[in-house]
Amino acid sequence: MERIIDGYRFSTDEDALMAKEELQRVNYISEKLNEDDPKSILLVYNKSITSGIFTTPVGIDFLKTIREYLIKNPSINNEEVADIPIRYSISDALFIKQNKRYESLNVTEKSYKKPFSYSVILNIILIILIAAMFVVAIKADNPNMLNYKTAVLNEYSEWEQELTQRENAVREKESELGITP
């Protein structure tokens, strides 16, 4: 359904339908009004106000146009021209709008809870895997980035022990053979 009625864009189909019906009433009343008789216009205006047949911006705009005509007309006492009542609270409408926005944020928050918990679980698993990789790398026999210093020192100390043992064996043989250095 078209939600633009007489230059106003309505947020719901129901509001647009109400405005469309009011536009039909506005057109009907406009056709029947006798512009040469301000007293009859005042009567129709005041009856429209008391009956509450106009509540949308389309109808209120029509009432405002008639009201301005009546106030400018010198044959009409301005005190006889009723004020246009606004039958809805703007602050209530803003409160409802803010509540709808808050509810939509809650829906969005709920929709992220499940993927967020999956993400946390996946991150914990990845941290455990990284820690396991470090443990394996440190305990490995082959030198790597984490244990190369220890591995090289151990290898050199093994060579040194082996070299010391060979030197001792050579000295023993030299002393047995009677060779003195």
Side-chain angles (χ1 to χ4, degrees):
M1 175 179 187
E2 179 70 32
R3 290 185 178 178
I4 299 174
I5 308 295
D6 199 32
Y8 293 99
R9 180 179 307 224
F10 293 92
S11 58
T12 64
D13 289 338
E14 293 81 19
D15 291 345
L17 182 62
M18 285 176 54
K20 190 174 183 181
E21 291 170 357
E22 283 189 16
L23 183 59
Q24 291 171 349
R25 283 187 227 126
V26 165
N27 291 335
Y28 177 78
I29 292 172
S30 295
E31 289 174 9
K32 301 293 181 187
L33 281 180
N34 181 2
E35 293 184 22
D36 296 331
D37 186 10
K39 291 283 185 192
S40 68
I41 293 175
L42 176 65
L43 188 69
V44 168
Y45 171 80
N46 284 335
K47 180 68 176 165
S48 297
I49 297 261
T50 55
S51 67
I53 61 171
F54 296 115
T55 57
T56 69
V58 173
I60 291 173
D61 195 29
F62 173 69
L63 290 175
K64 184 175 184 255
T65 303
I66 294 176
R67 185 173 196 282
E68 289 172 353
Y69 166 79
L70 292 171
I71 288 177
K72 289 179 184 176
N73 195 310
S75 64
I76 301 293
N77 182 0
N78 289 348
E79 292 178 8
E80 294 178 43
V81 180
D83 293 325
I84 302 170
I86 304 298
R87 304 207 186 278
Y88 59 90
S89 169
I90 295 170
S91 59
D92 287 347
L94 288 174
F95 179 75
I96 290 169
K97 184 177 179 180
Q98 287 173 345
N99 279 346
K100 284 182 180 178
R101 186 177 296 142
Y102 178 74
E103 288 172 4
S104 71
L105 289 175
N106 282 345
V107 168
T108 304
E109 183 181 309
K110 289 177 186 174
S111 65
Y112 284 113
K113 275 188 174 181
K114 198 170 191 178
F116 178 74
S117 62
Y118 288 148
S119 174
V120 168
I121 291 170
L122 183 64
N123 285 333
I124 290 171
I125 291 171
L126 289 174
I127 289 171
I128 291 170
L129 287 174
I130 291 171
M133 286 174 27
F134 276 108
V135 168
V136 167
I138 289 173
K139 294 201 179 241
D141 291 335
N142 297 334
N144 57 45
M145 214 168 81
L146 299 173
N147 67 356
Y148 76 93
K149 183 177 179 183
T150 308
V152 169
L153 286 175
N154 288 342
E155 192 170 338
Y156 281 126
S157 66
E158 287 175 13
W159 287 347
E160 186 177 359
Q161 282 179 351
E162 190 178 320
L163 191 58
T164 306
Q165 287 173 356
R166 285 186 179 181
E167 281 180 6
N168 290 339
V170 167
R171 284 189 186 129
E172 258 181 45
K173 281 285 187 191
E174 283 178 349
S175 65
E176 281 178 18
L177 295 174
I179 305 173
T180 55

